[in-house]
Amino acid sequence: MRSFIKLLLPLLIVGVMAACTARTGSSSQGAEPQAAAEHQAPDYYLDFDDIMIPKEIDYINDGSYKLDNTKFRASIMKFKGRVEIPELVQYFINNMTKDNWTLVSNNKASSVQFLTFEKYNKSCVIEIDDTFASATTTIFAVEVKDAGVKRK
């Protein structure tokens, strides 16, 4: 039994050292490209091609909703992420303005901030809830498709 342990112990030590070396080597080499890829990931558009979403918040499928028919398109998009609330608010104000939205109101009630934007045939309300350790962002957007057409 002792000879088995004497044989097993060096093999175990060599195996642990090899695993630590392989893990350290791969993480140090792979950390920079992965970190660079995260920082270079662009912001994106999701359901509407004129509402830019910052890469720092993640889409939450639960509670999100999409509706698209001949008269209108509506979407409730939920996101969560660890961000600074003033920076997130300023991000939406800047990017919505770049995409030709008009800021109608910017209201804050307790830990919830509401941004309301409008366009010719679109409306958007962005709710940013500053919860513990992360922010929940909900975007309510509606587009009326036949805004210029009158029906008899």
Side-chain angles (χ1 to χ4, degrees):
M1 180 76 170
R2 283 188 171 212
S3 62
F4 177 74
I5 292 176
K6 288 180 183 181
L7 179 64
L8 185 61
L9 188 58
L11 287 175
L12 184 61
I13 291 172
V14 168
V16 169
M17 289 175 56
C20 291
T21 304
R23 185 173 186 161
T24 304
S26 66
S27 67
S28 66
Q29 290 174 352
E32 289 180 40
Q34 183 180 3
E38 288 175 0
H39 293 296
Q40 293 175 359
D43 297 336
Y44 61 97
Y45 295 100
L46 191 59
D47 292 339
F48 284 76
D49 62 356
D50 55 358
I51 301 174
M52 186 170 280
I53 310 299
K55 63 185 171 281
E56 290 82 12
I57 58 176
D58 298 319
Y59 181 72
I60 301 172
N61 200 20
D62 189 34
S64 295
Y65 178 77
K66 300 172 193 174
L67 174 66
D68 194 354
N69 63 32
T70 58
K71 293 186 179 187
F72 66 93
R73 177 170 56 143
S75 181
I76 299 172
M77 300 173 276
K78 290 192 165 254
F79 303 89
K80 195 166 192 130
R82 297 184 73 173
V83 293
E84 295 292 326
I85 301 304
E87 291 175 13
L88 186 60
V89 167
Q90 196 58 50
Y91 174 90
F92 279 117
I93 291 172
N94 292 343
N95 285 292
M96 295 292 277
T97 302
K98 286 179 189 174
D99 284 327
N100 299 317
W101 289 86
T102 302
L103 179 64
V104 176
S105 66
N106 180 355
N107 301 309
K108 184 170 183 176
S110 167
S111 65
V112 181
Q113 184 125 10
F114 294 94
L115 302 169
T116 307
F117 296 92
E118 287 184 352
K119 268 189 174 183
Y120 167 68
N121 62 336
K122 296 180 181 181
S123 293
C124 179
V125 175
I126 300 174
E127 174 189 349
I128 302 170
D129 188 359
D130 186 11
T131 55
F132 179 73
S134 68
T136 302
T137 303
T138 307
I139 300 174
F140 305 90
V142 176
E143 173 187 13
V144 178
K145 292 183 179 179
D146 59 356
V149 179
K150 290 190 176 185
R151 302 203 180 247
K152 290 184 180 183

